[in-house]
Structure formats: structure tokens, C-alpha cells
Amino acid sequence: QVQLVESGGGLVQAGGSLRLSCAASGRTFSSYAMAWFRQAPGKEREFVAGIRESYGVRNYLDSVKGRFTISRDNAKNTVYLQMNSLKPEDTAVYYCAAGALSTWSLTYDYWGQGTQVTVSS
């Protein structure tokens, strides 16, 4: 069992930055790929970024490439999402997930409660 708790969301102006953190419980954190998804009002949940179990391969949504960076610290059981050059269209609830790396939400077994990111224009 893995429990995920996100933090770091908030209100920021367009062009600003935020760093999201996701702290995981349990001793098996390093055996899971980790990902961030987001869901805006009235829209489906979408994959934002993912990272393999032991560093290395990262995947990104095309619209965030060059602006967002996913990283993980297996010693701290934490995954991060550094978000730069934020745009109003990045406004959403951001969710952390643990499971098998893909852009498909059903491959992830564990989810956090979400953290709100609001970007004002």
C-alpha cells in the first residue's frame, strides 16, 4: 500500500513558477514509476509528466515540454514537479500517481488527493 500526499499548489500570475511535491509512504516507493496528472473543470484528467522507477526516462505532455520538469528523490520518497513559465491554461487540480509508467491513468494504482494550481492572467 502506498499513500501519496501532494503539496505546493497555489495561486500564481502567468509567467510565474511553482514546485509541487508528492510525499509517499511505504518502503516500496522506488519500485513504482511516478507521474503527475491534472484535471481542469469540465475536462478529463490528463497526463502531465512521468518518471521511471530509478531515474532515467521521463515523459511529458507536449504542451508542458521545456516548462515543466519532473524529478524524484527515492531517499526521501518524494516526487517533484517544477513548473515554470506558467500559463492560465495550466490551471487545474494536479494529482500525483504511482504505478506503471504510461500516459493512461488506469495503469496507476495509487493516487493523491490533489492540489489546486491557479494561474491568473
Side-chain angles (χ1 to χ4, degrees):
Q1 189 78 5
V2 176
Q3 292 185 324
L4 304 173
V5 179
E6 301 100 334
S7 61
L11 173 64
V12 64
Q13 289 188 331
S17 298
L18 283 174
R19 188 176 82 153
L20 305 183
S21 298
C22 174
S25 65
R27 295 175 290 177
T28 59
F29 175 77
S30 61
S31 66
Y32 291 97
M34 299 298 297
W36 290 93
F37 284 75
R38 68 186 181 188
Q39 188 166 19
K43 295 187 177 181
E44 294 186 353
R45 189 171 297 190
E46 66 176 353
F47 173 86
V48 176
I51 186 168
R52 286 280 186 201
E53 295 84 341
S54 55
Y55 310 99
V57 175
R58 294 169 172 84
N59 292 341
Y60 294 96
L61 178 68
D62 283 347
S63 63
V64 308
K65 286 180 180 177
R67 300 190 298 122
F68 291 11
T69 302
I70 188 171
S71 61
R72 66 189 296 164
D73 186 336
N74 286 345
K76 295 183 178 179
N77 281 10
T78 302
V79 63
Y80 305 96
L81 185 68
Q82 178 66 44
M83 305 186 294
N84 300 327
S85 302
L86 282 161
K87 304 176 180 180
E89 50 263 43
D90 295 319
T91 296
V93 177
Y94 283 71
Y95 297 91
C96 173
L101 185 63
S102 82
T103 62
W104 193 30
S105 62
L106 292 181
T107 68
Y108 294 88
D109 302 309
Y110 303 102
W111 292 83
Q113 81 289 350
T115 186
Q116 177 70 46
V117 171
T118 303
V119 184
S120 63
S121 57

